[in-house]
Amino acid sequence: MKKTTIALLASLALTGAAAAQDTNPGATADFVDAEGNEIGAVTLLQTEEGVNITGALEMGIPEGEHGFHIHETGDCDPSTAFESAGDHFDVASHQHGFDNPQGPHSGDIHNIMADADGRAVVEVTNDMVSLVEGEDGYLFDDDGSALVVHADPDDYVTDPSGNSGDRIACAVVEAAPN
């Protein structure tokens, strides 16, 4: 009977965890490169710790470290070198950078690393943004938001973009269907 009770409790815990995950808001973002080619995707999920961003850019990212940020506008037009995505997402009027005494921006995220094959795995959590309407840092405001990969690493201090260079990939953040 003890094994049956433990199995039942484990099953209920898993069912509860799955149900909680189903109620957490989610989003997706499909990356394009400067030529408009699809090169990868990430999933965003609201958690107690913040917005968890996971996935991969599958090709075309130069080997090494790259700045990775949430930008203020959900527009990834390659013909503008992704300038259409606007500045870094920032709801508190901070300066850029985790190491900047007046920072960071809400959309600042730690650098990502691309391997020799041009693949970059993304697994980060940002606790300064939200997928929940009404919360500070809500990513689905009137003009949306985008994720941007830069050519160079972010130095985490220089305002406004951490000396992270050109924008080389971009993804519009889209609410996941319910």
Side-chain angles (χ1 to χ4, degrees):
M1 176 148 166
K2 192 173 189 178
K3 286 183 182 179
T4 304
T5 303
I6 291 172
L8 178 60
L9 289 173
S11 175
L12 289 172
L14 289 173
T15 302
Q21 186 172 7
D22 288 343
T23 61
N24 289 351
T28 59
D30 296 327
F31 282 92
V32 296
D33 64 16
E35 287 78 44
N37 301 311
E38 293 184 22
I39 61 168
V42 295
T43 300
L44 295 84
L45 181 65
Q46 184 69 49
T47 69
E48 288 183 15
E49 292 79 28
V51 174
N52 185 263
I53 306 168
T54 58
L57 286 86
E58 298 293 339
M59 62 184 160
I61 303 299
E63 184 176 8
E65 228 177 325
H66 298 275
F68 184 56
H69 310 111
I70 301 171
H71 284 245
E72 66 186 352
T73 306
D75 185 357
C76 289
D77 183 354
S79 71
T80 69
F82 305 125
E83 292 296 323
S84 58
D87 295 329
H88 290 183
F89 186 83
D90 185 38
V91 297
S93 299
H94 289 157
Q95 290 188 12
H96 173 80
F98 296 111
D99 296 335
N100 183 328
Q102 287 83 41
H105 289 143
S106 307
D108 288 353
I109 303 174
H110 290 281
N111 292 333
I112 60 173
M113 182 71 73
D115 65 19
D117 294 326
R119 184 171 196 271
V121 173
V122 176
E123 191 170 326
V124 298
T125 299
N126 183 319
D127 64 358
M128 299 174 286
V129 298
S130 177
L131 301 176
V132 177
E133 188 170 5
E135 289 190 0
D136 288 341
Y138 182 58
L139 294 179
F140 299 116
D141 60 5
D142 291 339
D143 59 2
S145 59
L147 294 167
V148 174
V149 177
H150 293 264
D152 301 319
D154 185 332
D155 67 13
Y156 300 135
V157 69
T158 306
D159 194 54
S161 64
N163 281 334
S164 53
D166 293 338
R167 301 168 186 202
I168 60 171
C170 186
V172 174
V173 178
E174 305 271 351
N178 291 336

